[in-house]
Amino acid sequence: MTAGTLGPGERRRLIDALLRIDALSVRSTREACVTELQNTLSRPLEWERDERALHDVWGLAVACLGRPGGIQTLLDVVEFFDRGSHAFREARALADAVLPEPLLTTEERRLLAQLVQHLERQGLTLIQHAELVPAYQRAVGEFGPPPRPEVYDERHIVDVRLLIEQLEEAPLGPDGVAPLLRFVHELAGYAKAPVATAFAEWMTRFAERTGLGQDWRRLLTATEKRPALDNAQRAASLVFECRPDGADPDRLAVSARLERADGTVAMVRCDEEPEPVERLPALVEALLNRERGLLAAEPCELTIEFALPRDLLDLPCDQFVVTLGGVPRRLGIEYPVVLRSLDRMDEVWLWPKWRSKWNLLREGAGEARVHPVCEPGEYDGERLFAVLSDPEAVGLAMAYPPMDEGPGRVDEIWVAFETGVPIVVWCRKSRAPERFTEEARELCGSDPATLPRTVRRLRREAVLSQDRRQNRRPQTLPGGGALEDANDRDETEHLGMHLALLYDDADRVPEPYDRLRPPA
C-alpha cells in the first residue's frame, strides 16, 4: 500500500489517530520510536523532519505509507512504548480496516533485512548483481511488474532491498507461491554458511506461515521449470572491450561484459584507469579467477571475445597464458577465443551489409562459405572486393597476416568490412601457400558457424603436437649425427599456434553511449 492509493480522507483519519498516541505526539518518545523503526525496516525512511508534532508525524506516516507494511511496522514499534492505550487500539483497528495485510510480519521483515545485510558484507560480484533483475523477473513471471528504474545506482549495482520491497506487493502466483519466496530462494544461492543456513530457516518459517507447509521446496522446484533452450539460446560470450586512451594510445580502457543470446548483459568490469597494453593478459587472468565459479555455471560453453581497434587485431589473445586454479595454460585451448572489431561497431554505415551476411550465416540459408587467399598479392583490392561481394561469401581465410605494411598491399580487413564479411581468419606467421591450401580446406569447408570451436580444436592440437615434437627422440644416422624431421624444423609450425579468428556477431552490437546501460 502506497500513499497514493489511500484516499485523502482515510489518510487524514489515520494520521489523526496516530497523533492521538502519546508515544508519537510527545517528541522524546517519538524520537525513540523513529530510531527503532529505522533499525527494523530494510531501508531507512526519509522525510523532512519538523519541530511541530503534527507536521513531523504527518511526514512520518506518509513515508511509512510508501513502504509495504510500513504503517503496521510503525505500530508494532509504537506498541512497545504505548501498549494497551485506547488511542493505540483505535489506530491499530483503523490501520487494519483501511490497509491490506502485509505479506511479511515485522519480525520476518527485520530478519530478512539482516540476512541481506550479511550477504552484502560477504560480497556480491558484478555478475551476481546483474543476475538479480532476471531473478526478480523469473519470480514475478512473464506478466509481472517490471523492476523500478531506481533499483540501479550510478555503477549499475542493484539495490536488493528495493527489489524485495517491490516483491512484497507482487500478487501470488496461481500455485499460491509468493514471488518474494522465489526470489529469496535464488538469492540464498549466493550465500555461504552460516548465512545460507539462516536463509533456509527463514524460508521454511515463512512457507509454513503462509500455508505452503514443509514440502514448499518441491512445489517451488516444480513450478520453476521452464522450456528447455537450444544451444543458440543458451550461448554466452565474455567480451573484453579495449579502447585506446585518448591521451596515450599505448594504454587501454578495458571493460568486460557477459552477454547472453537471450539479451541479458552483465557488466563484470567497467572502464577504469587505462592500463598499458601489455597488462591485458593479467587483467583477463584476474577477472577469470574472480568470476570463475559463476562463469563455469553458464549453461552453455563460454566464448571469450576481444573487441579491439584495427591496429591491435594482431594481438595473440588466444596465446595469453593464464593461471586458473593453479594451472597455467593458453587461453585459447580452454575457451573459443575470437576477435571483434571496434572500428566496425563504431561505423554505423557498415552495418547493413554486415547484418545481411550475418543473417545468412545464422539462419543457415544458401551456401555460406569462407573464401581462401593463399598468397599476398593474389588479389588486388578491386578483385577481392568483387569476390567478397558475393552474397554467400561470409568469410575470408588468409595464409598470412593482414596487418603487414608494404607498397601496393591490399587492406584485406577493411575490404572485408566494406563487403559485410563477418569472419576473417589468418595465420599470424606467413604460411607456405601449398600447405595452407590443404589446411584451409577444413576451415573453408566446415560450417562457418562452428569456426570458433573448430579453431579452438586446432589450437589444442597445436599444443599436443608441440609436446610430441619436444619428446620425440631424433633418429641417428649410421655414421653418427641426427636425422632431421621436416616437422621438427619449427616447433610452433602447427597452424593452430598462429591462427587468429575475427568473428563479428552482428546481433550483439552495443549502441553508442549505451554500452553500460542495465538490461531492460
Side-chain angles (χ1 to χ4, degrees), residues 18-19 21-37 47 49-58 60 74 77-78 81:
L18 293 173
L19 273 169
I21 301 175
D22 290 341
L24 290 178
S25 60
V26 177
R27 180 174 178 176
S28 59
T29 51
R30 182 168 71 250
E31 291 301 322
C33 289
V34 167
T35 300
E36 182 61 25
L37 177 66
W47 77 98
R49 300 302 304 270
D50 199 295
E51 293 291 332
R52 295 164 293 182
L54 171 63
H55 295 78
D56 199 34
V57 174
W58 185 287
L60 172 62
L74 172 62
V77 169
V78 168
F81 296 93

PDB file of all heavy atoms in Angstrom, residues 18-19 21-37 47 49-58 60 74 77-78 81:
ATOM      1  N   LEU A  18      -2.901   8.414  14.678  1.00  0.00           N
ATOM      2  CA  LEU A  18      -1.516   8.272  15.118  1.00  0.00           C
ATOM      3  C   LEU A  18      -1.110   9.416  16.051  1.00  0.00           C
ATOM      4  O   LEU A  18      -0.379   9.212  17.028  1.00  0.00           O
ATOM      5  CB  LEU A  18      -0.574   8.236  13.905  1.00  0.00           C
ATOM      6  CG  LEU A  18      -0.679   7.003  12.988  1.00  0.00           C
ATOM      7  CD1 LEU A  18       0.177   7.191  11.740  1.00  0.00           C
ATOM      8  CD2 LEU A  18      -0.263   5.736  13.728  1.00  0.00           C
ATOM      9  N   LEU A  19      -1.604  10.625  15.762  1.00  0.00           N
ATOM     10  CA  LEU A  19      -1.251  11.787  16.582  1.00  0.00           C
ATOM     11  C   LEU A  19      -1.824  11.676  17.999  1.00  0.00           C
ATOM     12  O   LEU A  19      -1.278  12.264  18.939  1.00  0.00           O
ATOM     13  CB  LEU A  19      -1.775  13.067  15.925  1.00  0.00           C
ATOM     14  CG  LEU A  19      -0.835  13.718  14.898  1.00  0.00           C
ATOM     15  CD1 LEU A  19      -1.562  14.805  14.132  1.00  0.00           C
ATOM     16  CD2 LEU A  19       0.382  14.299  15.620  1.00  0.00           C
ATOM     17  N   ILE A  21      -1.789   9.095  19.775  1.00  0.00           N
ATOM     18  CA  ILE A  21      -0.966   8.178  20.565  1.00  0.00           C
ATOM     19  C   ILE A  21       0.128   8.981  21.261  1.00  0.00           C
ATOM     20  O   ILE A  21       0.890   9.706  20.621  1.00  0.00           O
ATOM     21  CB  ILE A  21      -0.338   7.094  19.668  1.00  0.00           C
ATOM     22  CG1 ILE A  21      -1.440   6.282  18.946  1.00  0.00           C
ATOM     23  CG2 ILE A  21       0.548   6.160  20.471  1.00  0.00           C
ATOM     24  CD1 ILE A  21      -0.897   5.278  17.941  1.00  0.00           C
ATOM     25  N   ASP A  22       0.172   8.871  22.579  1.00  0.00           N
ATOM     26  CA  ASP A  22       1.141   9.672  23.333  1.00  0.00           C
ATOM     27  C   ASP A  22       2.575   9.424  22.875  1.00  0.00           C
ATOM     28  O   ASP A  22       3.389  10.359  22.833  1.00  0.00           O
ATOM     29  CB  ASP A  22       1.023   9.359  24.834  1.00  0.00           C
ATOM     30  CG  ASP A  22      -0.276   9.897  25.425  1.00  0.00           C
ATOM     31  OD1 ASP A  22      -0.878  10.801  24.792  1.00  0.00           O
ATOM     32  OD2 ASP A  22      -0.685   9.420  26.497  1.00  0.00           O
ATOM     33  N   ALA A  23       2.906   8.182  22.527  1.00  0.00           N
ATOM     34  CA  ALA A  23       4.287   7.851  22.156  1.00  0.00           C
ATOM     35  C   ALA A  23       4.732   8.601  20.901  1.00  0.00           C
ATOM     36  O   ALA A  23       5.932   8.798  20.689  1.00  0.00           O
ATOM     37  CB  ALA A  23       4.424   6.347  21.927  1.00  0.00           C
ATOM     38  N   LEU A  24       3.769   9.034  20.052  1.00  0.00           N
ATOM     39  CA  LEU A  24       4.119   9.772  18.844  1.00  0.00           C
ATOM     40  C   LEU A  24       3.911  11.272  18.996  1.00  0.00           C
ATOM     41  O   LEU A  24       4.603  12.067  18.349  1.00  0.00           O
ATOM     42  CB  LEU A  24       3.290   9.263  17.659  1.00  0.00           C
ATOM     43  CG  LEU A  24       3.639   7.860  17.168  1.00  0.00           C
ATOM     44  CD1 LEU A  24       2.717   7.446  16.019  1.00  0.00           C
ATOM     45  CD2 LEU A  24       5.097   7.777  16.714  1.00  0.00           C
ATOM     46  N   SER A  25       2.982  11.680  19.835  1.00  0.00           N
ATOM     47  CA  SER A  25       2.739  13.119  19.988  1.00  0.00           C
ATOM     48  C   SER A  25       3.802  13.778  20.851  1.00  0.00           C
ATOM     49  O   SER A  25       4.083  14.977  20.712  1.00  0.00           O
ATOM     50  CB  SER A  25       1.348  13.359  20.601  1.00  0.00           C
ATOM     51  OG  SER A  25       1.253  12.755  21.876  1.00  0.00           O
ATOM     52  N   VAL A  26       4.431  13.009  21.747  1.00  0.00           N
ATOM     53  CA  VAL A  26       5.492  13.548  22.607  1.00  0.00           C
ATOM     54  C   VAL A  26       6.832  13.340  21.902  1.00  0.00           C
ATOM     55  O   VAL A  26       7.147  12.223  21.476  1.00  0.00           O
ATOM     56  CB  VAL A  26       5.492  12.850  23.986  1.00  0.00           C
ATOM     57  CG1 VAL A  26       6.653  13.356  24.845  1.00  0.00           C
ATOM     58  CG2 VAL A  26       4.155  13.081  24.689  1.00  0.00           C
ATOM     59  N   ARG A  27       7.611  14.417  21.798  1.00  0.00           N
ATOM     60  CA  ARG A  27       8.815  14.371  20.973  1.00  0.00           C
ATOM     61  C   ARG A  27       9.826  13.322  21.448  1.00  0.00           C
ATOM     62  O   ARG A  27      10.407  12.598  20.638  1.00  0.00           O
ATOM     63  CB  ARG A  27       9.470  15.745  20.936  1.00  0.00           C
ATOM     64  CG  ARG A  27      10.732  15.751  20.086  1.00  0.00           C
ATOM     65  CD  ARG A  27      11.312  17.118  19.924  1.00  0.00           C
ATOM     66  NE  ARG A  27      12.537  17.073  19.146  1.00  0.00           N
ATOM     67  CZ  ARG A  27      13.232  18.147  18.788  1.00  0.00           C
ATOM     68  NH1 ARG A  27      12.804  19.342  19.141  1.00  0.00           N
ATOM     69  NH2 ARG A  27      14.337  18.027  18.086  1.00  0.00           N
ATOM     70  N   SER A  28      10.052  13.217  22.746  1.00  0.00           N
ATOM     71  CA  SER A  28      11.095  12.315  23.242  1.00  0.00           C
ATOM     72  C   SER A  28      10.802  10.859  22.881  1.00  0.00           C
ATOM     73  O   SER A  28      11.677  10.136  22.388  1.00  0.00           O
ATOM     74  CB  SER A  28      11.251  12.478  24.758  1.00  0.00           C
ATOM     75  OG  SER A  28      10.020  12.194  25.409  1.00  0.00           O
ATOM     76  N   THR A  29       9.565  10.425  23.144  1.00  0.00           N
ATOM     77  CA  THR A  29       9.232   9.037  22.810  1.00  0.00           C
ATOM     78  C   THR A  29       9.108   8.857  21.297  1.00  0.00           C
ATOM     79  O   THR A  29       9.374   7.766  20.772  1.00  0.00           O
ATOM     80  CB  THR A  29       7.924   8.613  23.507  1.00  0.00           C
ATOM     81  OG1 THR A  29       6.904   9.586  23.245  1.00  0.00           O
ATOM     82  CG2 THR A  29       8.136   8.460  24.999  1.00  0.00           C
ATOM     83  N   ARG A  30       8.679   9.923  20.583  1.00  0.00           N
ATOM     84  CA  ARG A  30       8.613   9.823  19.123  1.00  0.00           C
ATOM     85  C   ARG A  30      10.005   9.558  18.550  1.00  0.00           C
ATOM     86  O   ARG A  30      10.164   8.760  17.632  1.00  0.00           O
ATOM     87  CB  ARG A  30       8.012  11.097  18.523  1.00  0.00           C
ATOM     88  CG  ARG A  30       7.872  11.005  17.002  1.00  0.00           C
ATOM     89  CD  ARG A  30       7.014  12.122  16.437  1.00  0.00           C
ATOM     90  NE  ARG A  30       7.672  13.425  16.479  1.00  0.00           N
ATOM     91  CZ  ARG A  30       7.325  14.421  17.268  1.00  0.00           C
ATOM     92  NH1 ARG A  30       6.307  14.278  18.111  1.00  0.00           N
ATOM     93  NH2 ARG A  30       7.975  15.584  17.242  1.00  0.00           N
ATOM     94  N   GLU A  31      11.024  10.243  19.062  1.00  0.00           N
ATOM     95  CA  GLU A  31      12.385  10.023  18.572  1.00  0.00           C
ATOM     96  C   GLU A  31      12.837   8.597  18.847  1.00  0.00           C
ATOM     97  O   GLU A  31      13.506   7.976  18.013  1.00  0.00           O
ATOM     98  CB  GLU A  31      13.340  11.021  19.238  1.00  0.00           C
ATOM     99  CG  GLU A  31      13.135  12.461  18.814  1.00  0.00           C
ATOM    100  CD  GLU A  31      13.304  12.638  17.302  1.00  0.00           C
ATOM    101  OE1 GLU A  31      14.189  11.990  16.701  1.00  0.00           O
ATOM    102  OE2 GLU A  31      12.534  13.418  16.723  1.00  0.00           O
ATOM    103  N   ALA A  32      12.478   8.052  20.015  1.00  0.00           N
ATOM    104  CA  ALA A  32      12.838   6.664  20.324  1.00  0.00           C
ATOM    105  C   ALA A  32      12.138   5.706  19.362  1.00  0.00           C
ATOM    106  O   ALA A  32      12.740   4.724  18.891  1.00  0.00           O
ATOM    107  CB  ALA A  32      12.475   6.339  21.768  1.00  0.00           C
ATOM    108  N   CYS A  33      10.861   6.002  19.048  1.00  0.00           N
ATOM    109  CA  CYS A  33      10.120   5.153  18.100  1.00  0.00           C
ATOM    110  C   CYS A  33      10.751   5.210  16.711  1.00  0.00           C
ATOM    111  O   CYS A  33      10.883   4.185  16.041  1.00  0.00           O
ATOM    112  CB  CYS A  33       8.656   5.596  18.036  1.00  0.00           C
ATOM    113  SG  CYS A  33       7.696   5.222  19.506  1.00  0.00           S
ATOM    114  N   VAL A  34      11.123   6.427  16.286  1.00  0.00           N
ATOM    115  CA  VAL A  34      11.723   6.582  14.957  1.00  0.00           C
ATOM    116  C   VAL A  34      13.042   5.815  14.872  1.00  0.00           C
ATOM    117  O   VAL A  34      13.326   5.137  13.879  1.00  0.00           O
ATOM    118  CB  VAL A  34      11.929   8.077  14.634  1.00  0.00           C
ATOM    119  CG1 VAL A  34      12.835   8.251  13.409  1.00  0.00           C
ATOM    120  CG2 VAL A  34      10.590   8.758  14.401  1.00  0.00           C
ATOM    121  N   THR A  35      13.861   5.899  15.920  1.00  0.00           N
ATOM    122  CA  THR A  35      15.145   5.186  15.926  1.00  0.00           C
ATOM    123  C   THR A  35      14.930   3.680  15.795  1.00  0.00           C
ATOM    124  O   THR A  35      15.599   3.005  14.996  1.00  0.00           O
ATOM    125  CB  THR A  35      15.924   5.491  17.214  1.00  0.00           C
ATOM    126  OG1 THR A  35      16.175   6.899  17.286  1.00  0.00           O
ATOM    127  CG2 THR A  35      17.243   4.729  17.243  1.00  0.00           C
ATOM    128  N   GLU A  36      14.009   3.141  16.561  1.00  0.00           N
ATOM    129  CA  GLU A  36      13.735   1.708  16.498  1.00  0.00           C
ATOM    130  C   GLU A  36      13.125   1.325  15.154  1.00  0.00           C
ATOM    131  O   GLU A  36      13.442   0.266  14.602  1.00  0.00           O
ATOM    132  CB  GLU A  36      12.784   1.327  17.643  1.00  0.00           C
ATOM    133  CG  GLU A  36      12.456  -0.160  17.712  1.00  0.00           C
ATOM    134  CD  GLU A  36      13.687  -1.018  17.944  1.00  0.00           C
ATOM    135  OE1 GLU A  36      14.683  -0.511  18.505  1.00  0.00           O
ATOM    136  OE2 GLU A  36      13.650  -2.208  17.554  1.00  0.00           O
ATOM    137  N   LEU A  37      12.259   2.186  14.617  1.00  0.00           N
ATOM    138  CA  LEU A  37      11.649   1.904  13.318  1.00  0.00           C
ATOM    139  C   LEU A  37      12.711   1.831  12.220  1.00  0.00           C
ATOM    140  O   LEU A  37      12.699   0.922  11.378  1.00  0.00           O
ATOM    141  CB  LEU A  37      10.625   2.994  12.992  1.00  0.00           C
ATOM    142  CG  LEU A  37       9.937   2.892  11.620  1.00  0.00           C
ATOM    143  CD1 LEU A  37       9.059   1.647  11.551  1.00  0.00           C
ATOM    144  CD2 LEU A  37       9.105   4.143  11.351  1.00  0.00           C
ATOM    145  N   TRP A  47      12.150  11.652   5.337  1.00  0.00           N
ATOM    146  CA  TRP A  47      11.150  12.707   5.261  1.00  0.00           C
ATOM    147  C   TRP A  47      11.734  13.942   5.944  1.00  0.00           C
ATOM    148  O   TRP A  47      12.727  13.857   6.672  1.00  0.00           O
ATOM    149  CB  TRP A  47       9.823  12.284   5.914  1.00  0.00           C
ATOM    150  CG  TRP A  47       9.785  12.303   7.416  1.00  0.00           C
ATOM    151  CD1 TRP A  47       9.280  13.295   8.197  1.00  0.00           C
ATOM    152  CD2 TRP A  47      10.264  11.294   8.306  1.00  0.00           C
ATOM    153  NE1 TRP A  47       9.412  12.983   9.534  1.00  0.00           N
ATOM    154  CE2 TRP A  47      10.006  11.748   9.616  1.00  0.00           C
ATOM    155  CE3 TRP A  47      10.864  10.058   8.141  1.00  0.00           C
ATOM    156  CZ2 TRP A  47      10.357  11.012  10.748  1.00  0.00           C
ATOM    157  CZ3 TRP A  47      11.219   9.316   9.248  1.00  0.00           C
ATOM    158  CH2 TRP A  47      10.963   9.794  10.532  1.00  0.00           C
ATOM    159  N   ARG A  49      12.144  16.362   8.584  1.00  0.00           N
ATOM    160  CA  ARG A  49      11.778  16.439   9.996  1.00  0.00           C
ATOM    161  C   ARG A  49      11.298  17.854  10.337  1.00  0.00           C
ATOM    162  O   ARG A  49      11.725  18.844   9.736  1.00  0.00           O
ATOM    163  CB  ARG A  49      12.976  16.075  10.878  1.00  0.00           C
ATOM    164  CG  ARG A  49      13.532  14.686  10.654  1.00  0.00           C
ATOM    165  CD  ARG A  49      12.462  13.598  10.872  1.00  0.00           C
ATOM    166  NE  ARG A  49      11.838  13.647  12.151  1.00  0.00           N
ATOM    167  CZ  ARG A  49      12.276  12.986  13.251  1.00  0.00           C
ATOM    168  NH1 ARG A  49      13.359  12.237  13.168  1.00  0.00           N
ATOM    169  NH2 ARG A  49      11.621  13.062  14.399  1.00  0.00           N
ATOM    170  N   ASP A  50      10.385  17.918  11.335  1.00  0.00           N
ATOM    171  CA  ASP A  50       9.782  19.198  11.720  1.00  0.00           C
ATOM    172  C   ASP A  50       9.628  19.241  13.226  1.00  0.00           C
ATOM    173  O   ASP A  50       9.356  18.219  13.865  1.00  0.00           O
ATOM    174  CB  ASP A  50       8.414  19.349  11.039  1.00  0.00           C
ATOM    175  CG  ASP A  50       7.941  20.797  11.008  1.00  0.00           C
ATOM    176  OD1 ASP A  50       7.698  21.364  12.082  1.00  0.00           O
ATOM    177  OD2 ASP A  50       7.827  21.343   9.884  1.00  0.00           O
ATOM    178  N   GLU A  51       9.841  20.414  13.802  1.00  0.00           N
ATOM    179  CA  GLU A  51       9.697  20.578  15.250  1.00  0.00           C
ATOM    180  C   GLU A  51       8.250  20.392  15.694  1.00  0.00           C
ATOM    181  O   GLU A  51       7.981  19.964  16.814  1.00  0.00           O
ATOM    182  CB  GLU A  51      10.185  21.976  15.674  1.00  0.00           C
ATOM    183  CG  GLU A  51      11.681  22.204  15.508  1.00  0.00           C
ATOM    184  CD  GLU A  51      12.490  21.387  16.488  1.00  0.00           C
ATOM    185  OE1 GLU A  51      11.967  21.093  17.585  1.00  0.00           O
ATOM    186  OE2 GLU A  51      13.632  21.028  16.167  1.00  0.00           O
ATOM    187  N   ARG A  52       7.297  20.707  14.816  1.00  0.00           N
ATOM    188  CA  ARG A  52       5.876  20.598  15.159  1.00  0.00           C
ATOM    189  C   ARG A  52       5.416  19.152  15.021  1.00  0.00           C
ATOM    190  O   ARG A  52       5.656  18.503  14.000  1.00  0.00           O
ATOM    191  CB  ARG A  52       5.059  21.499  14.250  1.00  0.00           C
ATOM    192  CG  ARG A  52       5.351  22.997  14.433  1.00  0.00           C
ATOM    193  CD  ARG A  52       4.829  23.820  13.289  1.00  0.00           C
ATOM    194  NE  ARG A  52       5.541  23.528  12.040  1.00  0.00           N
ATOM    195  CZ  ARG A  52       5.298  24.142  10.885  1.00  0.00           C
ATOM    196  NH1 ARG A  52       4.346  25.077  10.829  1.00  0.00           N
ATOM    197  NH2 ARG A  52       5.987  23.819   9.813  1.00  0.00           N
ATOM    198  N   ALA A  53       4.782  18.627  16.057  1.00  0.00           N
ATOM    199  CA  ALA A  53       4.389  17.223  16.100  1.00  0.00           C
ATOM    200  C   ALA A  53       3.477  16.864  14.928  1.00  0.00           C
ATOM    201  O   ALA A  53       3.645  15.809  14.302  1.00  0.00           O
ATOM    202  CB  ALA A  53       3.692  16.909  17.420  1.00  0.00           C
ATOM    203  N   LEU A  54       2.497  17.746  14.615  1.00  0.00           N
ATOM    204  CA  LEU A  54       1.561  17.449  13.533  1.00  0.00           C
ATOM    205  C   LEU A  54       2.303  17.222  12.216  1.00  0.00           C
ATOM    206  O   LEU A  54       2.084  16.229  11.535  1.00  0.00           O
ATOM    207  CB  LEU A  54       0.559  18.603  13.393  1.00  0.00           C
ATOM    208  CG  LEU A  54      -0.361  18.534  12.151  1.00  0.00           C
ATOM    209  CD1 LEU A  54      -1.246  17.291  12.230  1.00  0.00           C
ATOM    210  CD2 LEU A  54      -1.216  19.790  12.035  1.00  0.00           C
ATOM    211  N   HIS A  55       3.220  18.134  11.866  1.00  0.00           N
ATOM    212  CA  HIS A  55       3.914  18.038  10.598  1.00  0.00           C
ATOM    213  C   HIS A  55       4.907  16.867  10.580  1.00  0.00           C
ATOM    214  O   HIS A  55       5.077  16.192   9.564  1.00  0.00           O
ATOM    215  CB  HIS A  55       4.647  19.354  10.304  1.00  0.00           C
ATOM    216  CG  HIS A  55       3.725  20.521  10.107  1.00  0.00           C
ATOM    217  ND1 HIS A  55       3.111  21.181  11.145  1.00  0.00           N
ATOM    218  CD2 HIS A  55       3.291  21.143   8.963  1.00  0.00           C
ATOM    219  CE1 HIS A  55       2.350  22.155  10.689  1.00  0.00           C
ATOM    220  NE2 HIS A  55       2.447  22.161   9.360  1.00  0.00           N
ATOM    221  N   ASP A  56       5.545  16.635  11.734  1.00  0.00           N
ATOM    222  CA  ASP A  56       6.536  15.557  11.789  1.00  0.00           C
ATOM    223  C   ASP A  56       5.859  14.190  11.683  1.00  0.00           C
ATOM    224  O   ASP A  56       6.319  13.317  10.926  1.00  0.00           O
ATOM    225  CB  ASP A  56       7.329  15.661  13.088  1.00  0.00           C
ATOM    226  CG  ASP A  56       8.638  14.909  13.020  1.00  0.00           C
ATOM    227  OD1 ASP A  56       9.249  14.856  11.921  1.00  0.00           O
ATOM    228  OD2 ASP A  56       9.075  14.353  14.042  1.00  0.00           O
ATOM    229  N   VAL A  57       4.754  13.996  12.404  1.00  0.00           N
ATOM    230  CA  VAL A  57       4.045  12.718  12.340  1.00  0.00           C
ATOM    231  C   VAL A  57       3.390  12.550  10.968  1.00  0.00           C
ATOM    232  O   VAL A  57       3.332  11.439  10.430  1.00  0.00           O
ATOM    233  CB  VAL A  57       2.990  12.622  13.474  1.00  0.00           C
ATOM    234  CG1 VAL A  57       2.163  11.354  13.325  1.00  0.00           C
ATOM    235  CG2 VAL A  57       3.687  12.632  14.839  1.00  0.00           C
ATOM    236  N   TRP A  58       2.906  13.639  10.399  1.00  0.00           N
ATOM    237  CA  TRP A  58       2.340  13.566   9.048  1.00  0.00           C
ATOM    238  C   TRP A  58       3.407  13.054   8.054  1.00  0.00           C
ATOM    239  O   TRP A  58       3.168  12.137   7.279  1.00  0.00           O
ATOM    240  CB  TRP A  58       1.829  14.937   8.623  1.00  0.00           C
ATOM    241  CG  TRP A  58       1.118  14.935   7.290  1.00  0.00           C
ATOM    242  CD1 TRP A  58       1.687  14.803   6.060  1.00  0.00           C
ATOM    243  CD2 TRP A  58      -0.282  15.030   7.065  1.00  0.00           C
ATOM    244  NE1 TRP A  58       0.742  14.827   5.081  1.00  0.00           N
ATOM    245  CE2 TRP A  58      -0.491  14.954   5.665  1.00  0.00           C
ATOM    246  CE3 TRP A  58      -1.394  15.183   7.895  1.00  0.00           C
ATOM    247  CZ2 TRP A  58      -1.761  15.035   5.095  1.00  0.00           C
ATOM    248  CZ3 TRP A  58      -2.650  15.269   7.326  1.00  0.00           C
ATOM    249  CH2 TRP A  58      -2.826  15.189   5.946  1.00  0.00           C
ATOM    250  N   LEU A  60       6.105  11.397   8.746  1.00  0.00           N
ATOM    251  CA  LEU A  60       6.443  10.019   9.099  1.00  0.00           C
ATOM    252  C   LEU A  60       5.409   9.043   8.558  1.00  0.00           C
ATOM    253  O   LEU A  60       5.748   7.999   7.982  1.00  0.00           O
ATOM    254  CB  LEU A  60       6.549   9.895  10.626  1.00  0.00           C
ATOM    255  CG  LEU A  60       6.704   8.487  11.202  1.00  0.00           C
ATOM    256  CD1 LEU A  60       8.000   7.843  10.710  1.00  0.00           C
ATOM    257  CD2 LEU A  60       6.668   8.529  12.735  1.00  0.00           C
ATOM    258  N   LEU A  74       5.390   0.461  11.963  1.00  0.00           N
ATOM    259  CA  LEU A  74       5.402   1.595  12.888  1.00  0.00           C
ATOM    260  C   LEU A  74       4.561   1.290  14.126  1.00  0.00           C
ATOM    261  O   LEU A  74       4.992   1.536  15.263  1.00  0.00           O
ATOM    262  CB  LEU A  74       4.875   2.841  12.181  1.00  0.00           C
ATOM    263  CG  LEU A  74       4.647   4.079  13.060  1.00  0.00           C
ATOM    264  CD1 LEU A  74       5.963   4.560  13.681  1.00  0.00           C
ATOM    265  CD2 LEU A  74       3.996   5.205  12.251  1.00  0.00           C
ATOM    266  N   VAL A  77       6.244  -1.064  16.490  1.00  0.00           N
ATOM    267  CA  VAL A  77       7.275  -0.390  17.289  1.00  0.00           C
ATOM    268  C   VAL A  77       6.624   0.451  18.394  1.00  0.00           C
ATOM    269  O   VAL A  77       7.047   0.441  19.553  1.00  0.00           O
ATOM    270  CB  VAL A  77       8.163   0.482  16.376  1.00  0.00           C
ATOM    271  CG1 VAL A  77       9.055   1.396  17.206  1.00  0.00           C
ATOM    272  CG2 VAL A  77       9.005  -0.398  15.459  1.00  0.00           C
ATOM    273  N   VAL A  78       5.575   1.191  18.020  1.00  0.00           N
ATOM    274  CA  VAL A  78       4.907   2.068  18.997  1.00  0.00           C
ATOM    275  C   VAL A  78       4.283   1.249  20.122  1.00  0.00           C
ATOM    276  O   VAL A  78       4.235   1.713  21.282  1.00  0.00           O
ATOM    277  CB  VAL A  78       3.839   2.922  18.276  1.00  0.00           C
ATOM    278  CG1 VAL A  78       2.931   3.625  19.271  1.00  0.00           C
ATOM    279  CG2 VAL A  78       4.506   3.927  17.350  1.00  0.00           C
ATOM    280  N   PHE A  81       6.070   1.118  23.353  1.00  0.00           N
ATOM    281  CA  PHE A  81       6.094   2.328  24.174  1.00  0.00           C
ATOM    282  C   PHE A  81       4.707   2.721  24.677  1.00  0.00           C
ATOM    283  O   PHE A  81       4.595   3.477  25.651  1.00  0.00           O
ATOM    284  CB  PHE A  81       6.672   3.491  23.361  1.00  0.00           C
ATOM    285  CG  PHE A  81       8.104   3.301  22.960  1.00  0.00           C
ATOM    286  CD1 PHE A  81       8.417   2.736  21.744  1.00  0.00           C
ATOM    287  CD2 PHE A  81       9.133   3.663  23.822  1.00  0.00           C
ATOM    288  CE1 PHE A  81       9.746   2.566  21.364  1.00  0.00           C
ATOM    289  CE2 PHE A  81      10.449   3.492  23.453  1.00  0.00           C
ATOM    290  CZ  PHE A  81      10.769   2.930  22.215  1.00  0.00           C
TER     291      PHE A  81
END
